[in-house]
Amino acid sequence: MEKKSYLFTSESVSEGHPDKICDQISDAVLDVCLEADPESRVACESFASQSTIIVGGEITTKTYVYLDELVHNIIRNIGYEDNFTVMNMIHRQSPDIDQGVSGTGNEVYKGQQGAGDQGMMFGYACNETPEFMPLPIMLAHRLLEHASKERKNGRLTSLLPDGKSQITVRYENDKPKYIDAVVFSHQHKDIYGNDYNLFRENIINELIKPVLEKTGLLDKMRTKFYVNPTGRFVIGGPYADTGLTGRKIIVDTYGGMGRHGGGAFSGKDPSKVDRSAAYMARYIAKNIVANELADRCEVQISYAIGVPFPVSVLVDTFGTNKVPEDRIEYAITQAYDLSPAGIIKELDLKKPIYRPTATYGHFGKEHFNWEKVSDKIKKYI
């Protein structure tokens, strides 16, 4: 039989990318609110351009957020010079939305917590990495995490905070065969003049290869390296590009391998199902693969605003299932409470855990509850 051979590419961005600055600010605001008031309702958006950061959105909470101090601490922690002006445009959540979420405004579901919005959420898992994540996105994240570590510990002093990575993997029969291309574009100090080759050599040998050689998938003849292809990346962050919360949803999830419902995560409390149900869908998909019910799995859950249960649940195992998909779908409905309140309880989401999700992906990090593995679903198969 002819091999199915194809290239698949995923990208990641660094913590100093302007969009990721905004994601971190929005999730830091959420954490402050939840730490003091777990019942906080938060939909926080941030915008960064030049030396101005605007933080807005709808927040209902019993605590007070010292916004200036919070933003400046994040900027300094990332590694930027702290010369930013912060504008506060936050206001309270609409009572029309709140009554649908709390259940006070719907006679049919009165007293039951409804979904904070309509929409469909997807979760994905596969068995090609120990984290049950697609290989390209995990490698793209690892490159930039390593770059941040080396920048902050002083080993790669030429690097500045903004950066992007991109990994292309050759697949054969849906299995990773080798890394075809590595794109690494990172902001740097203006210390090399025109000596681009020296910078490129240092990045490949001191940063890229130490991360990727561990996979055994670098190919001396076929792997291509593209380091700062324009030759210069000195101006970065909000001074180069405008940043906005929620613009890196594919970076945040599965790198394009697996569908996305369209809703961003950062800055939203768990009553918003476009965040909490996406976490639940990942949790279910990962447990399906980890329990060897399938090699790949995508779970879709959809909701209507104010309704305290999902409108639909769908499982797609891409033909890799070991048991019928209808049995897996039935097991999901028996093993998990997919109501908004049930998801929040199952994953313990009313805690200040969200700022670490805002960089290098929301999935594939073992310390989050939606990444835990149990045999709960197998009991109903």
Side-chain angles (χ1 to χ4, degrees):
M1 187 175 73
E2 184 180 353
K3 287 185 177 180
K4 183 184 179 184
S5 181
Y6 58 91
L7 296 173
F8 193 89
T9 302
S10 294
E11 73 159 346
S12 182
V13 297
S14 74
E15 65 205 65
H17 186 280
D19 291 334
K20 277 294 154 197
I21 294 172
C22 294
D23 284 346
Q24 290 170 84
I25 291 169
S26 295
D27 269 339
V29 170
L30 171 61
D31 279 353
V32 169
C33 293
L34 291 177
E35 186 171 21
D37 178 11
E39 303 303 319
S40 296
R41 294 283 189 261
V42 179
C44 181
E45 311 283 349
S46 302
F47 170 91
S49 181
Q50 297 289 307
S51 60
T52 300
I53 294 176
I54 301 172
V55 183
E58 301 78 49
I59 297 179
T60 302
T61 185
K62 296 176 181 177
T63 191
Y64 181 81
V65 179
Y66 293 90
L67 192 61
D68 275 47
E69 180 181 353
L70 180 148
V71 171
H72 291 306
N73 284 340
I74 290 172
I75 293 297
R76 288 192 293 267
N77 181 261
I78 292 170
Y80 284 112
E81 292 185 11
D82 186 14
N83 56 359
F84 288 84
T85 299
V86 180
M87 296 178 62
N88 189 337
M89 302 290 289
I90 293 171
H91 57 94
R92 289 181 63 85
Q93 183 186 57
S94 162
D96 293 346
I97 296 174
D98 178 70
Q99 70 177 4
V101 175
S102 65
T104 59
N106 190 317
E107 291 301 322
V108 178
Y109 309 117
K110 200 170 185 66
Q112 300 180 65
Q113 180 176 344
D117 202 352
Q118 70 178 45
M120 63 283 185
M121 297 80 208
F122 291 92
Y124 180 84
C126 58
N127 61 6
E128 62 189 58
T129 64
E131 299 87 359
F132 296 96
M133 287 285 288
L135 181 66
I137 187 65
M138 292 305 292
L139 294 183
H141 287 327
R142 294 298 89 82
L143 277 182
L144 289 172
E145 285 181 304
H146 186 57
S148 176
K149 180 181 177 181
E150 296 296 90
R151 171 174 63 87
K152 290 181 176 181
N153 66 23
R155 291 196 184 98
L156 285 175
T157 58
S158 60
L159 294 183
L160 293 172
D162 196 359
K164 285 186 172 184
S165 65
Q166 186 171 283
I167 299 289
T168 301
V169 173
R170 168 68 67 179
Y171 283 80
E172 292 186 3
N173 292 332
D174 292 326
K175 301 296 182 183
K177 188 70 174 177
Y178 63 88
I179 297 170
D180 184 82
V182 180
V183 181
F184 189 84
S185 298
H186 212 292
Q187 185 188 14
H188 58 86
K189 295 178 181 177
D190 195 9
I191 59 175
Y192 289 101
N194 294 321
D195 198 353
Y196 162 74
N197 289 331
L198 176 60
F199 178 79
R200 181 180 186 275
E201 181 180 332
N202 286 342
I203 292 298
I204 292 174
N205 292 327
E206 298 178 26
L207 197 154
I208 295 175
K209 286 187 176 179
V211 173
L212 299 185
E213 282 177 342
K214 299 174 184 177
T215 67
L217 295 175
L218 284 180
D219 188 296
K220 290 183 179 180
M221 300 299 294
R222 293 181 287 190
T223 302
K224 300 172 284 290
F225 298 96
Y226 302 94
V227 177
N228 282 27
T230 64
R232 177 182 171 88
F233 185 2
V234 174
I235 301 172
Y239 286 94
D241 290 297
T242 298
L244 188 65
T245 298
R247 271 207 301 218
K248 288 292 176 282
I249 58 176
I250 301 303
V251 172
D252 285 344
T253 52
Y254 310 102
M257 192 177 290
R259 285 170 282 195
H260 197 295
F265 300 156
S266 290
K268 296 177 181 177
D269 75 82
S271 73
K272 281 74 173 174
V273 285
D274 44 3
R275 181 172 212 164
S276 55
Y279 289 174
M280 190 66 178
R282 160 62 179 175
Y283 178 58
I284 295 169
K286 181 175 180 178
N287 273 275
I288 288 170
V289 176
N291 281 282
E292 299 182 346
L293 301 176
D295 294 334
R296 297 166 61 202
C297 182
E298 183 179 76
V299 174
Q300 184 201 54
I301 312 172
S302 66
Y303 291 88
I305 188 169
V307 179
F309 50 81
V311 174
S312 68
V313 178
L314 173 68
V315 172
D316 188 351
T317 60
F318 310 95
T320 69
N321 50 303
K322 310 300 190 293
V323 298
E325 286 183 346
D326 58 352
R327 285 176 59 188
I328 297 175
E329 288 181 0
Y330 170 79
I332 290 171
T333 62
Q334 299 303 302
Y336 305 108
D337 181 351
L338 299 181
S339 68
I343 292 173
I344 290 169
K345 181 179 180 181
E346 173 87 28
L347 301 181
D348 198 13
L349 296 178
K350 290 186 179 181
K351 292 183 177 179
I353 57 174
Y354 295 100
R355 184 179 168 189
T357 68
T359 52
Y360 312 117
H362 291 242
F363 307 123
K365 301 174 179 178
E366 291 184 357
H367 56 282
F368 292 125
N369 286 341
W370 52 90
E371 296 295 323
K372 304 299 182 185
V373 174
S374 74
D375 62 356
K376 186 176 181 179
I377 192 169
K378 291 188 75 173
K379 298 175 183 178
Y380 299 94
I381 293 294

